[in-house]
Structures are given as structure tokens and as C-alpha cells.
Amino acid sequence: MPRNERGEPEPLDQQRQQVAREKGAELFSYRGNDVESFLSPNSPSGLYRLELLSTEKDTHFKVYATTTPESDRPYPELPYDPRVDVTSLGRTTVTLAWKPSPTASLLGQSTQYCVVVNKEHNFKSLCAVEAKRSQDDAFMVAPKPGLDFSPFDFAHFGFPADGPGKGRGFPAKPLSPAHARPRADIRQVCIGSKNVFTVSDLKPDTQYYFDVFVTSGRSNLSTAYVGAFARTKREAEQKTAELKDGRVTDVFVRRRGAQFLRFAPVSSHQKVTFFVHSCLGAVQVQVRRDGKLVLSQSVEGVRQFLLRGKPKAKYLVRLKGNKKGASMLKVLASTRPGKHAFPSLPEDTRVKAFDRLRTCSSATVAWLGTQDRNKFCIYKKEVDDSYSEDQKRREQNQCLGPDTRKKSEKVLCKYFHSQNLQKAVTTETITGLQPGRAYLLDVYVVGHGGHSVKYQSKVVKTRRSC
């Protein structure tokens, strides 16, 4: 530290003036956008000046200075092999692995790993990731014409208040959320001390860049591993099944998957009817006629779509599965809409149980019908009191017909219809039940073509004592 003739330390202002008069020697110079450090083992006391110049655009930086670098170790250390390895590659997932940092494994210090995924390039520092995620090309609002930054910004870093911007400054304001534009194409997740991570929900046949950063729990500073990049696998080519006029086709669609069906009528036609029976949950149905989209709807249960035909027209049906699980469907295309293989259904396919009519040995239920005369069959099956929703969902496969049930479970079959939809309600009492037992009741409606549809299952419980 500079001293005067009496050996007393000189005031800081005089030290600044001395530095201004005597241009010191340049100790270190660097140009780039990486993490860089400078260490001087024998440094005299005094005032050191760090100058940073942005050569491309507005930016921000982090600086760490210390006089005890041997003991501080602010940045976590990398292993001897600092590469990030891609250990597994799929259509929508990539698994990454890397060797642990010695800072955690050998020194026992608290660290955590952060994984960054994007489609543009690898990052050299977590600081660069944060800047890219939270800001657009400019990270702060441009000053008004004729104005400069507030003197406070310079005084905060030890520069005199009469420096740049004196007398013509404006209040420094933080960047408003309107100007901070998050980058949706960059994903960052911190996973603790794990050194294996699977990135999911990626797009097929797309190149991604993967970076891993180890962060110190003491200093909150990070070190970058050598990043990796990989292209996800392509979607498997979809096979297109052929629909035969008037025949039912069974279709299986994977979770979030898709299936394509092609229908090319042999004869000329004025109209074409598509029957779609979704056995489990909802599916998205799209129909294109000669490449033009003519139908796009979500289907649950049985739906009928009547489309205008064209001579020699060809139809492509796309069935898109849902996020919850796999889907099973039955699809029929016909140029003769008068011949229905599927039974007609009411909008409400629930089975209602009457609690007041419940006895120790019987249960009374009701359901809706339609104007078409259909055959209805009722089946019962005893279940445990702990009958769960998962079990009930498995029972809800509407494509399983009465032929899959045991003969002992059959209650009865009857025909029913009503021209007045307000009165299209039928009831039935199931007898011969045991006291205090739970039963699963199923109602099937069978069409003229033999195709059946199951109403929503209903669980009823008989009374223990009467």
C-alpha cells in the first residue's frame, strides 16, 4: 500500500490520483466469452483496476476476487474426464451421464448439478445460460436520447461521482418484466447430486445440445463440463391399414401415438359414413379427402360421421391417442349408410341405480334408449368392497362384448325403443343377490350387424339387513 513521507498510508483518493498519473503495467489480457481466471503469486498491495469492454452487444458478467485463492476454491473442480456422455438415445428421450466432481467426492463440499438443453449451441458457462434464458438480444432498456447512465452506477464500483454521466443522469431502474423475454427453447433443471439424468419430452429427429454445470453450495459459482449434442431418432414410419367397405376394423393406438387408415371405395358414391368406437378414453380423429382436411374431432364412445362423397375419392383417417394410456378402437367406413353395423346410442350412457329400491337381494337400475329398436343385455358380477377405480377402468373397455362374459353372469336380454326420446327410459330389477354384497352391473346394446357397445359400468351394493 502506498505511504507518505511519514510512513502513513495515503488516502484512497490520493491512491486513485497516483494511479491516474502513473499508467500501470498491464498484468493480464483476455478476449472471448469463456470463463477465465488470473492468478499473481507475488502481488504488492495497492489498487488494481479491472477493465471490461463488450465488443458485440450489451452483456453482463460475474467477477470473483480474493487474496487467498489457495483456501477459497470458489469454483468446483472437474474430474479428469469432464465430458458429458450420451448413454441412451430414443425418439423423445436422451439419457446423459458424467463423472462426479472431485469437489464433492473428495473434498466433501456441497455441490449440485444443473442440466441445460437447447437446440442452438453448447454453453460455456451457467452465467451465459441465465442471460440467454431471461433476456433478449439487449439485456437492458436503451437510455433516452442525450442521456447516459446514472453516476450512482459508477460510484458503486469505486469510480468518482464526477465521472461519466454527471449532471445528465436518469434514475436507474431494474429491467421490467415486459422487456425480459424468457427463452422457451432453453430448458434448465437442477437435479442435486445425481450424475445420470434422462431428458424427456423431446421432438423426434431433432438435434439438441446438452450441458452440465456443477455449482458450489458455498460460493454459488459453477463450472461447466464439456457439453454434448445428439439428434433424437426419427418416428417409426406409420403403416397405413386398408378399410373395407362395410367391415369393422380393430385398431390399437399407443399412448400419444397415431395410426393411419386408408379408405378407397371401389364404386362411385354420394355419401360416406365413418363409425368410430373408442373403447378406452378419448381419441382425436381426423379425416382427409384427397389430401384436404374434412373432419377433426375428439371422440369418446361411439360416433357417426356422415361426409359428402366424390367420384374416385380417397380418404385418409388419422387416429391420435391420448396422454393417459393406450387406446383401442373399432372403425367402420361405408358408402351405404342405411346399413348400420353399430347400434345407435343416447348421449348419456350411464346406468342409474335407485337407492330407495335397493333390498337385501335385489337392485333396480335404469338407462336410456333411442328411437331405434335395439337389443339390451344385462350382466352382473360380484366384486369386493374394495373395488378400486383402476379395476373399474379396466372393466370399462366398451369393445368387449357379451360373448366375453360367463353364462352365469347373464341376467336377461330384451328389446326396447321409444319414438318419444323424453320417454326412452327403461328399468330393470336384478334379483337373486346376496345381502351386503357389491355387484358390478353392465348393460350391452347390440346393433343389427351384431356389433355391441357397453354402457358405463355401475357398482351397486345390497343392504345387509331388511
Side-chain angles (χ1 to χ4, degrees):
M1 179 179 295
R3 298 176 180 270
N4 57 20
E5 297 177 353
R6 291 176 293 180
E8 298 174 347
E10 293 182 351
L12 185 59
D13 288 342
Q14 295 183 19
Q15 295 184 38
R16 290 199 183 104
Q17 295 173 8
Q18 179 180 349
V19 172
R21 291 194 303 269
E22 301 176 5
K23 186 178 181 181
E26 184 178 282
L27 301 178
F28 177 74
S29 177
Y30 169 75
R31 181 187 179 97
N33 60 353
D34 206 344
V35 178
E36 191 56 65
S37 62
F38 168 72
L39 175 65
S40 179
N42 298 314
S43 302
S45 59
L47 182 66
Y48 291 83
R49 183 170 179 172
L50 177 65
E51 294 183 353
L52 298 105
L53 175 66
S54 177
T55 59
E56 296 178 353
K57 57 186 177 182
D58 291 344
T59 184
H60 67 209
F61 55 88
K62 291 183 180 180
V63 177
Y64 184 90
T66 180
T67 57
T68 56
E70 295 83 1
S71 59
D72 279 14
R73 291 188 175 182
Y75 288 91
E77 298 181 15
L78 293 177
Y80 67 92
D81 183 2
R83 294 174 298 179
V84 177
D85 296 321
V86 176
T87 60
S88 177
L89 188 65
R91 292 190 298 272
T92 60
T93 60
V94 171
T95 300
L96 309 172
W98 57 92
K99 293 179 174 57
S101 166
T103 302
S105 59
L106 299 180
L107 302 180
Q109 296 182 11
S110 173
T111 60
Q112 77 163 341
Y113 299 100
C114 295
V115 179
V116 174
V117 184
N118 79 104
K119 300 178 185 178
E120 296 181 6
H121 54 75
N122 288 108
F123 289 95
K124 299 179 181 179
S125 67
L126 193 55
C127 176
V129 175
E130 294 168 351
K132 188 79 170 181
R133 287 191 66 195
S134 60
Q135 296 138 8
D136 207 338
D137 292 337
F139 84 102
M140 61 176 62
V141 181
K144 296 179 180 179
L147 299 179
D148 207 334
F149 298 106
S150 169
F152 171 79
D153 297 329
F154 294 91
H156 180 73
F157 290 101
F159 291 92
D162 58 352
K166 180 183 179 182
R168 52 191 184 96
F170 63 93
K173 296 181 181 180
L175 183 62
S176 64
H179 294 87
R181 303 174 184 176
R183 292 277 183 162
D185 54 349
I186 297 180
R187 294 161 57 182
Q188 176 181 339
V189 57
C190 295
I191 60 173
S193 59
K194 297 186 297 182
N195 64 326
V196 176
F197 183 70
T198 298
V199 185
S200 58
D201 295 328
L202 302 176
K203 293 183 178 180
D205 194 25
T206 304
Q207 181 154 308
Y208 289 92
Y209 295 84
F210 306 96
D211 292 291
V212 174
F213 302 91
V214 53
T215 304
S216 169
R218 294 196 308 175
S219 65
N220 203 31
L221 297 175
S222 61
T223 306
Y225 279 70
V226 178
F229 62 90
R231 178 174 289 274
T232 51
K233 293 183 178 180
R234 294 182 179 180
E235 282 278 16
E237 293 186 2
Q238 294 287 349
K239 294 182 178 179
T240 303
E242 293 286 341
L243 290 175
K244 301 297 183 180
D245 198 338
R247 293 186 182 180
V248 177
T249 300
D250 295 316
V251 183
F252 175 79
V253 183
R254 296 181 182 274
R255 175 176 173 266
R256 293 185 176 180
Q259 288 287 353
F260 293 88
L261 306 173
R262 182 175 177 269
F263 181 53
V266 177
S267 59
S268 60
H269 58 283
Q270 294 182 344
K271 296 180 180 180
V272 60
T273 304
F274 287 94
F275 292 89
V276 180
H277 185 185
S278 178
C279 310
L280 289 173
V283 294
Q284 187 70 25
V285 178
Q286 288 185 348
V287 179
R288 294 182 182 273
R289 183 182 58 213
D290 295 332
K292 182 180 179 180
L293 184 66
V294 293
L295 172 69
S296 180
Q297 285 195 25
S298 178
V299 173
E300 189 169 7
V302 176
R303 291 290 302 276
Q304 172 184 335
F305 302 102
L306 184 62
L307 304 177
R308 182 179 300 175
K310 280 187 176 182
K312 300 181 180 180
K314 296 180 180 179
Y315 302 84
L316 182 65
V317 181
R318 181 179 184 266
L319 305 172
K320 183 73 168 62
N322 56 52
K323 299 179 180 180
K324 296 182 179 180
S327 303
M328 291 181 291
L329 303 97
K330 290 182 179 292
V331 181
L332 179 143
S334 175
T335 56
R336 296 166 291 177
K339 295 185 177 181
H340 293 172
F342 284 80
S344 57
L345 289 174
E347 292 185 3
D348 190 349
T349 58
R350 291 177 298 177
V351 177
K352 178 178 176 56
F354 298 94
D355 185 67
R356 292 184 178 181
L357 301 179
R358 187 166 53 99
T359 70
C360 296
S361 60
S362 68
T364 301
V365 294
W367 64 91
L368 298 178
T370 66
Q371 293 177 334
D372 297 332
R373 187 172 184 268
N374 288 319
K375 179 181 179 181
F376 294 89
C377 295
I378 306 176
Y379 286 76
K380 73 175 190 301
K381 183 176 70 171
E382 186 176 340
V383 294
D384 296 333
D385 291 340
S386 59
Y387 191 71
S388 65
E389 288 298 323
D390 289 340
Q391 289 174 291
K392 187 176 180 180
R393 184 179 182 277
R394 287 195 295 269
E395 299 286 351
Q396 290 291 346
N397 186 346
Q398 293 183 330
C399 291
L400 296 179
D403 55 322
T404 62
R405 304 297 295 264
K406 297 178 181 178
K407 290 184 179 181
S408 59
E409 296 176 350
K410 183 177 179 179
V411 178
L412 60 85
C413 288
K414 70 176 185 179
Y415 288 89
F416 169 74
H417 77 289
S418 176
Q419 294 300 323
N420 185 356
L421 291 178
Q422 300 295 328
K423 298 181 179 180
V425 182
T426 182
T427 60
E428 197 64 43
T429 300
I430 296 93
T431 59
L433 307 180
Q434 298 296 319
R437 303 288 181 87
Y439 293 88
L440 180 71
L441 303 181
D442 288 313
V443 174
Y444 297 88
V445 54
V446 184
H448 299 297
H451 186 77
S452 63
V453 178
K454 185 172 71 172
Y455 278 44
Q456 298 180 36
S457 299
K458 182 68 177 179
V459 176
V460 297
K461 191 174 182 179
T462 56
R463 299 184 185 277
R464 290 186 179 275
S465 58
C466 297

